[in-house]
Each structure stands twice: as C-alpha cells, then as structure tokens.
Amino acid sequence: MSEVITAAVDALNKKLDGEGFDGTAKFVIEDEGSIIIDENGARAGDDDADVTLSADTETFQQILEGDLNPTSAFMSGKLAIDGDMGAAMRLGGVLS
C-alpha cells in the first residue's frame, strides 16, 4: 500500500470521527490505489461500491485538506463520479 493511501485512510477516518458512512464509496487515486468507505470507516481496498470517485493525488489531497470543495472539483472535471450521485452528495457532506 502506498504512503498516499495510508495517509488518506488516516485522514478520512479522522474526518469520519468514529462514524461510518451510510452506503459504500470508493476513492480511486490515480497511480496510487483505492480506498473504501463504508459503515466501518475508511480502509484501503478495491471492493465494489455504490459510488466511485476518481481523482489525481493533488485533487484528492486538496479535498481532504478542505482547500477544494468536492462539488467544485466535480464541476471543474477534476473529480469523476460513477454510480449513485446521492451517495456522492452524502459523502461530500462528510468531507466538507
């Protein structure tokens, strides 16, 4: 597992603050790997999910650090979303 994925899992679990996510989401970080977020929190993995969000490392880090709104990232083409848009919106609320 890459250092980027490890750091992202830690950051996501801090944002989730012990709460799970209602559904399953997968973040695919280009050239690094993927992360699953579900009722148990965030972990490295490549399972099937309700929604898949794909971005490069820089975009993902900006979203995690609060420097880039997930909706703005999607609208500008920096974040691709495939699957349940409702789940993506709920996840965006968690990340903001």
Side-chain angles (χ1 to χ4, degrees):
M1 180 170 25
S2 78
E3 289 180 25
V4 170
I5 296 295
T6 301
V9 167
D10 291 342
L12 284 166
N13 279 318
K14 285 179 186 168
K15 281 192 174 278
L16 290 168
D17 195 29
E19 298 292 318
F21 176 67
D22 180 25
T24 56
K26 177 170 36 177
F27 276 109
V28 177
I29 304 173
E30 292 175 12
D31 300 323
E32 296 294 339
S34 56
I35 300 166
I36 297 293
I37 301 173
D38 59 20
E39 68 274 0
N40 298 314
R43 61 182 163 74
D46 194 23
D47 305 347
D48 288 336
D50 299 330
V51 63
T52 300
L53 299 94
S54 303
D56 62 25
T57 303
E58 181 181 345
T59 299
F60 186 73
Q61 286 178 323
Q62 289 176 338
I63 291 170
L64 276 182
E65 293 168 0
D67 296 333
L68 179 61
N69 179 290
T71 303
S72 298
F74 173 69
M75 296 302 249
S76 67
K78 293 181 177 184
L79 176 68
I81 300 174
D82 182 35
D84 184 348
M85 286 300 273
M89 296 302 287
R90 288 193 312 276
L91 185 60
V94 169
L95 296 177
S96 296

